[in-house]
Amino acid sequence: MPAFTFTTRLAASAAAAAVAVLGLTTAATASASSDEPVTQACTSANSSTTVSEVSRPVNHLLLTVTNTGDTPCNAYYAPALRFDDAQAATPVLESSQPQAVVTLNPGESGYAGIRTSLPSGEGTNGRTATTLEVHFKDRADEDTNDWATLDLPGEGVYLDSTAAVTWWQYDLDDALSY
C-alpha cells in the first residue's frame, strides 16, 4: 500500500473518531441537562389558571393550570383555595394524592377538582362566593406567595362546609372523580 493512501486513511480515521467523540460529548451534555430534575413550582408567573363549571359531577368546579413558561414546572401538592374573604383555606381531599408530582412541560395542563357542596345537602354555613384565590405550593409544601385571583362562573358559586379540593392531577377525569 503506498504511504500516501495509508496516511490519508489514517487521517480520515482520526478525523472521524474526533467527530464521533465530539458528537458523544455533545449528546452527553444535552442528555445531562435534560435529565435534571424539575424543581420549579408552577405559579401565576409561569402559568395561567382558569376555573370552570362542569356538568358532572354536580356541585363541582374544574381548576386548570397551564404552563405558559419556557421550562417545565411542578404543580406541587394541592392548591390552597380562598373563596372571597374566607379566613381559612378550603380543605384538601387527601385521598386524591397522586403517585407522583404533576410536572407540566410548556403548554401542558394540570387539573384540580373542587367540590363546592355535597349533593345530599348535609353541609352547613352555605353561602355564594364570587371570587377565588388560587395559591400555589413549592416543593416544601409552602405557599409560593404568588397566586391567581379568578372570578367564579355566573353570578357566583354556592359553597358550604363540605367544600374541598383535590391534589393537582394530570387528567381532568381523575380530578373530577372525587
Side-chain angles (χ1 to χ4, degrees), residues 19-32:
V19 168
V21 168
L22 182 60
L24 288 176
T25 302
T26 304
T29 302
S31 175

Side-chain angles (χ1 to χ4, degrees), residues 24-39 71-72 105:
L24 288 176
T25 302
T26 304
T29 302
S31 175
S33 65
S34 65
D35 287 344
E36 294 292 318
V38 175
T39 58
T71 59
N105 289 313

Side-chain angles (χ1 to χ4, degrees), residues 92-158:
V92 175
L93 293 165
E94 293 300 333
S95 61
S96 69
Q97 181 177 350
Q99 292 183 354
V101 172
V102 175
T103 300
L104 303 176
N105 289 313
E108 291 183 335
S109 297
Y111 308 93
I114 303 170
R115 181 182 68 209
T116 58
S117 62
L118 290 175
S120 61
E122 63 192 69
T124 59
N125 301 321
R127 63 189 178 91
T128 299
T130 58
T131 61
L132 173 65
E133 282 184 7
V134 180
H135 292 253
F136 299 93
K137 302 286 189 89
D138 65 15
R139 188 174 180 179
D141 196 15
E142 299 291 327
D143 192 324
T144 63
N145 294 317
D146 184 37
W147 61 87
T149 301
L150 309 172
D151 289 326
L152 291 169
E155 299 293 316
V157 173
Y158 176 82

Side-chain angles (χ1 to χ4, degrees), residues 52-54 57-62 113-116 175-176 178:
S52 56
E53 289 183 303
V54 294
V58 296
N59 304 342
H60 277 70
L61 298 171
L62 180 65
I114 303 170
R115 181 182 68 209
T116 58
L176 294 173
Y178 293 90

